[in-house]
Amino acid sequence: MYLQPHHLRVIERLKETFQDDPRYLALLVGGSLVKGWGGENSDVDVMFIATDEEYARCVASGQRWYYNTEMCDYPGGYIDGKFFNLQFLRDVAQKGSEPARAAYTNVFAVFSHIPELDDLLKQIPVYQETEREEKMLAFYSQVQMLNWFVGEAEQKQSTYLMAHATSEMVFYASRLVLAYNRILYPYHKWLMQAVENAPEKPENFLELCEKLLTQGSVANAQALWECITNFREWNISYERGLVRFMQDTEWNWLDNRAPLQDW
């Protein structure tokens, strides 16, 4: 964690303000500070666990976000909050996506009137082992075909396709590394930080990703592809990868699954 004295003062003020408010069952602190990725001027991210009645009111009115600068006594400080109810936490524990689960890594309660809260918070930020093999297949297949699309972009001299294919190739290669390490994907803002912290990854992986992003070319895409394929034996044929790519990119609407990037 990276909670400095001025952050702790803000948290104490939040506790004093809301712990006896009947609209709220608990107040959680999360975000970059509790993950150890914050800085001196980082905002304080909080989650209000409201009663069902208050949550319904928030949803109906569109008031799902809390913002406050007055409680902060440090330069650039502010509180960034969201409103949920207890059922939302139960749903995340049962079926949450990786970004949804990752948001609860190291989260702690400022106050709580919910007996089951501690158990729920332990269940949420857990990599789902039953999904791992399918995710690695899906992510590997994306990298395989996006490598091909980089070639198409270079041949057609398409700036858009090159930018899309290179960023997506880095994204899915990174998701593959995280899945291999059983690390939750924390969404784009902290993706590369999570990959950097992964204990097992291809040699020079981050450098190859950066080079592809800044210098999109067939040669740089092929270098990233080779570092992935040489990292381990994936046992995925080209044909299997192609079919899986189409399944996740062109046909995912058939079973109403969330887009692959949100898994």
Side-chain angles (χ1 to χ4, degrees):
M1 293 192 182
Y2 190 86
L3 287 166
Q4 300 302 298
H6 53 277
H7 298 129
L8 295 173
R9 289 196 297 271
V10 174
I11 293 170
E12 186 60 31
R13 290 171 190 140
L14 283 164
K15 181 178 180 180
E16 292 172 357
T17 302
F18 293 106
Q19 68 177 339
D20 295 323
D21 190 323
R23 296 175 297 173
Y24 305 113
L25 302 176
L27 179 63
L28 312 178
V29 175
S32 60
L33 288 173
V34 303
K35 294 178 176 65
W37 297 340
E40 289 287 331
N41 297 328
S42 292
D43 61 299
V44 177
D45 287 287
V46 298
M47 307 173 200
F48 291 88
I49 309 305
T51 63
D52 290 341
E53 294 77 16
E54 176 63 15
Y55 181 66
R57 188 198 67 78
C58 291
V59 171
S61 65
Q63 184 185 345
R64 301 284 299 276
W65 182 50
Y66 177 84
Y67 179 79
N68 185 298
T69 58
E70 296 176 359
M71 292 189 189
C72 299
D73 58 4
Y74 60 96
Y78 63 93
I79 302 165
D80 183 3
K82 301 176 181 67
F83 296 96
F84 304 119
N85 65 353
L86 180 56
Q87 186 57 50
F88 181 88
L89 294 184
R90 292 169 178 156
D91 288 340
V92 177
Q94 179 183 4
K95 58 183 179 181
S97 67
E98 285 193 41
R101 291 181 183 279
Y104 290 84
T105 302
N106 295 337
V107 161
F108 66 90
V110 177
F111 68 83
S112 172
H113 308 299
I114 305 172
E116 66 180 285
L117 184 63
D118 286 346
D119 286 340
L120 272 176
L121 294 182
K122 291 176 184 177
Q123 295 171 34
I124 292 174
V126 175
Y127 193 90
Q128 303 300 291
E129 186 66 25
T130 56
E131 302 172 354
R132 181 170 177 259
E133 290 298 325
E134 183 183 10
K135 285 181 176 179
M136 289 197 295
L137 167 61
F139 300 153
Y140 178 95
S141 301
Q142 290 288 318
V143 178
Q144 170 185 288
M145 297 312 302
L146 286 161
N147 183 39
W148 179 82
F149 273 111
V150 170
E152 289 292 287
E154 189 169 282
Q155 180 181 354
K156 299 177 184 304
Q157 297 186 326
S158 171
T159 303
Y160 167 77
L161 185 57
M162 181 64 76
H164 172 75
T166 53
S167 62
E168 288 286 282
M169 187 174 178
V170 168
F171 172 72
Y172 283 110
S174 298
R175 291 294 307 270
L176 183 60
V177 168
L178 293 185
Y180 181 76
N181 285 272
R182 297 175 171 86
I183 296 174
L184 293 170
Y185 159 54
Y187 205 61
H188 297 287
K189 182 178 180 180
W190 298 111
L191 172 60
M192 303 316 290
Q193 180 72 54
V195 173
E196 184 176 355
N197 293 342
E200 297 185 58
K201 52 183 174 285
E203 186 176 357
N204 300 322
F205 179 77
L206 290 169
E207 292 84 352
L208 291 171
C209 287
E210 184 68 18
K211 191 171 184 180
L212 179 58
L213 289 171
T214 56
Q215 304 172 43
S217 70
V218 168
N220 290 337
Q222 185 64 24
L224 180 58
W225 170 243
E226 289 176 2
C227 99
I228 287 292
T229 56
N230 293 333
F231 177 57
R232 58 157 288 185
E233 177 55 62
W234 299 97
N235 294 313
I236 301 170
S237 67
Y238 179 85
E239 291 76 12
R240 187 183 182 198
L242 173 60
V243 171
R244 182 66 201 219
F245 175 85
M246 291 188 292
Q247 178 182 331
D248 291 327
T249 305
E250 301 178 19
W251 308 328
N252 65 303
W253 55 271
L254 281 169
D255 54 13
N256 295 316
R257 295 190 73 172
L260 181 61
Q261 66 176 353
D262 295 330
W263 285 16

